[in-house]
């Protein structure tokens, strides 16, 4: 999944080792800003520890739950065929389906302006909420109707439902016609038009099948739990000797602005949207005190105070330099020292290799990430 700040690369780049060193004596593991769930999955799949993962965003919670809440693999896929068949019946039952399919088949033949205009002229009602909000923008109408139909016909059995919805969210992320995240769709113009069409041609239901087949065999050693919750509330549940992983936002722009499309898929409903990014209204998008200059420092200090009181041990990652939410690696280190013993501080790259594009010093520093291992003073 394309995810801003995903720790997937860093797991093979210092973070995995730091976690491994701290996990031995740990009770449970809490990942309070789970995002793409890369760290929650990594720990749950490899270590005999109960993982509890949380995020303000529903879609992150769904992705985390699809693995950390399941201790047996899913190997029978009859439900997947049933799910696809129900969704297919739903799209085919719409009187516009034949035209929509034709539009999809001709995407490579018509000028992008023509395809976009035809796609945007389709008037979807509330029965097709994802199509109404995003069809003709982030998705072709064919893709968005599949998204709606699959979202509406999710299986009822909890484990299957989690896997199915996680696969749907990840597929929406991969199909979305936008650069890296879903803050704004590609425009149907000369420069971005070919990227728009390329994305609109992706076979969404096929991708969902592939994602299901990749997630279903993955399991946690111990059954954990995912929560759509503010990190501070989940931190209150930490116990002595729990290992808490913190990867707080470093962006001065709320994550919910970048990932509203995935959130809408997770929720299965979208209110009115507006602006070039087709954003739902502000009160439908979670805001974070970590993404505001005036509150980020205080929020982090508060969180560490809670975790110190709960006698947990902590691993924090944060950009080594100054981040756009006003916090810097030095601030994070200073705040951490107020509450914990700093057992280890390492700086590594946020990317898996230090490739050619990172030759320049400034770019290198931008990619540097601090990993702090903090132990409870009570320990
Ligand atoms: C840097 S990202 C985490 C990336 C994650 N570690 C990964 O590997 O994908 C920060 C996450 O924190 C979430 N977030 C922001 N404020 C939060 C809060 N107060 N409580 C819980 N989650 C929050 C955002 O939604 C975002 O997913």
């Amino acid at each position: 999944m394309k995810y801003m700040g995903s720790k997937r690369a860093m797991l093979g780049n210092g973070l995995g080792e730091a976690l491994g060193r701290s996990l031995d004596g740990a009770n449970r593991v809490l990942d309070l800003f789970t995002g793409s769930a890369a760290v929650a999955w990594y720990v749950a799949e490899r270590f005999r520890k109960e993982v509890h993962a949380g995020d303000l965003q529903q879609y992150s919670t769904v992705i985390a739950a699809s693995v950390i809440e399941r201790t047996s693999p899913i190997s029978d896929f009859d439900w997947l065929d049933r799910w696809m068949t129900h969704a297919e019946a739903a799209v085919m039952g719409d009187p516009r389906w034949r035209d929509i399919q034709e539009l999809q088949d001709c995407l490579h033949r018509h000028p992008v302006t023509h395809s976009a205009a035809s796609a945007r002229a389709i008037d979807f009602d509330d029965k097709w909420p994802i199509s109404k909000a995003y069809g003709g923008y982030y998705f072709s109408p064919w893709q968005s109707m599949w998204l709606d139909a699959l979202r509406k016909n999710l299986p009822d059995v909890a484990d299957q439902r989690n896997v199915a919805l996680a696969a749907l969210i990840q597929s929406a992320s991969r199909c979305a016609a936008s650069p890296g995240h879903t803050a704004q769709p590609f425009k149907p113009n000369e420069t971005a038009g070919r990227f728009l069409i390329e994305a609109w041609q992706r076979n969404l239901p096929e991708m969902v099948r592939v994602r299901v087949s990749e997630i279903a065999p993955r399991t946690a050693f111990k059954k954990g739990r995912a929560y759509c919750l503010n990190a501070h509330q989940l931190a209150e549940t930490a116990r002595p000797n729990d290992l808490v992983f913190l990867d707080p936002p470093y962006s001065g722009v709320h994550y919910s602005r970048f990932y509203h499309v995935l959130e809408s898929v997770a929720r299965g409903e979208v209110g009115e949207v507006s602006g070039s990014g087709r954003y739902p209204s502000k009160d439908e998008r979670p805001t974070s005190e970590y993404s505001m200059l005036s509150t980020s420092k205080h929020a982090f200090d508060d969180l560490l105070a809670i975790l110190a009181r709960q006698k947990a041990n902590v691993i924090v990652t944060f950009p080594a330099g100054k981040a756009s939410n006003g916090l810097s690696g030095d601030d994070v280190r200073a705040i951490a020292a107020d509450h914990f013993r700093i057992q280890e501080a390492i700086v590594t790259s946020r990317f898996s290799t230090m490739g050619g594009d990172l030759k320049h010093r400034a770019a290198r520093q931008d990619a540097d990430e601090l990993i702090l291992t903090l132990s409870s003073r009570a320990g």
Side-chain angles (χ1 to χ4, degrees), residues 108-128:
H108 62 290
R109 261 187 264 143
H110 294 312
V112 61
T113 42
H114 175 272
S115 299
S118 311
R120 290 174 188 182
I122 301 167
D123 189 18
F124 288 107
D125 60 21
D126 292 336
K127 275 200 292 195
W128 301 93

Side-chain angles (χ1 to χ4, degrees), residues 241-262:
N241 254 354
D242 279 349
L243 177 64
V244 181
F245 176 64
L246 301 179
D247 182 22
Y250 48 82
S251 160
V253 180
H254 296 290
Y255 265 72
S256 54
R257 184 180 173 88
F258 296 113
Y259 294 101
H260 60 97
V261 175
L262 306 188

Side-chain angles (χ1 to χ4, degrees), residues 19-339:
L19 284 165
R21 283 193 289 277
S22 298
L23 271 165
D24 253 1
N27 179 12
R28 307 170 309 165
V29 177
L30 275 60
D31 176 8
L32 302 190
F33 302 90
T34 200
S36 67
V39 174
W41 282 20
Y42 175 89
V43 175
E45 285 185 278
R46 285 169 183 74
F47 301 92
R48 293 184 186 280
K49 305 286 173 188
E50 209 177 288
V51 176
H52 293 250
D55 201 283
L56 280 184
Q57 308 208 86
Q58 181 71 32
Y59 74 87
S60 293
T61 315
V62 171
I63 293 172
S66 69
V67 171
I68 70 170
E69 293 190 356
R70 198 161 42 81
T71 51
S72 21
I74 296 179
S75 47
D76 173 0
F77 290 103
D78 287 354
W79 64 271
L80 175 57
D81 292 329
R82 277 198 302 277
W83 181 34
M84 288 285 161
T85 308
H86 287 146
E88 188 172 29
V91 292
M92 288 177 71
D94 189 280
R96 294 163 295 192
W97 185 242
R98 193 197 281 258
D99 292 342
I100 283 171
Q101 222 166 0
E102 200 178 306
L103 176 67
Q104 183 76 8
D105 292 341
C106 295
L107 285 176
H108 62 290
R109 261 187 264 143
H110 294 312
V112 61
T113 42
H114 175 272
S115 299
S118 311
R120 290 174 188 182
I122 301 167
D123 189 18
F124 288 107
D125 60 21
D126 292 336
K127 275 200 292 195
W128 301 93
I130 298 167
S131 302
K132 185 177 175 197
Y134 306 124
Y137 295 86
Y138 293 100
F139 306 105
S140 71
W142 184 89
Q143 291 172 322
S144 68
M145 282 183 78
W146 266 108
L147 274 172
D148 270 316
L150 287 165
R151 178 64 188 77
K152 224 175 274 170
N153 288 282
L154 286 172
D156 290 327
V157 177
D159 279 355
Q160 297 167 0
R161 193 178 173 88
N162 272 344
V163 171
L165 188 50
L168 194 62
I169 293 164
Q170 291 187 337
S171 303
S173 165
R174 287 168 189 222
C175 286
S178 54
H181 45 67
T182 56
Q184 262 191 35
F186 291 126
K187 293 195 168 62
N189 59 23
E190 220 166 288
T191 21
R194 66 194 169 95
F195 300 114
L196 180 82
I197 295 301
E198 191 268 319
W200 279 11
Q201 285 178 307
R202 295 184 191 144
N203 188 331
L204 187 123
E206 198 42 51
M207 205 172 278
V208 172
R209 277 188 182 274
V210 173
R211 294 311 308 149
V212 166
S213 71
E214 282 176 19
I215 301 171
R218 310 180 76 147
T219 56
F221 264 113
K222 283 196 165 186
K223 188 172 167 61
R225 199 158 159 211
Y227 310 77
C228 189
L229 202 60
N230 190 303
H232 295 227
Q233 282 170 275
L234 194 49
E236 295 282 2
T237 70
R239 301 178 198 150
N241 254 354
D242 279 349
L243 177 64
V244 181
F245 176 64
L246 301 179
D247 182 22
Y250 48 82
S251 160
V253 180
H254 296 290
Y255 265 72
S256 54
R257 184 180 173 88
F258 296 113
Y259 294 101
H260 60 97
V261 175
L262 306 188
E263 193 66 354
S264 299
V265 174
R267 292 179 185 173
E269 50 185 39
V270 202
E272 287 303 311
V273 296
S274 63
S276 52
R278 318 260 322 144
Y279 308 116
S281 72
K282 271 203 172 134
D283 48 309
E284 284 183 50
R285 289 186 269 139
T287 54
S288 171
E289 61 280 41
Y290 289 86
S291 289
M292 294 186 279
L293 280 171
S294 56
T295 50
S296 60
K297 232 180 229 177
H298 186 65
F300 188 63
D301 186 56
D302 249 16
L303 180 60
L304 286 194
I306 297 171
L307 293 171
R309 203 169 57 233
Q310 301 299 99
K311 302 185 178 60
N313 298 315
V314 174
I315 292 187
V316 191
T317 57
F318 203 77
K322 180 114 180 145
S324 65
N325 66 350
L327 273 172
S328 67
D330 287 344
D331 293 332
V332 165
R333 197 191 281 243
I335 297 169
D338 284 343
H339 300 282

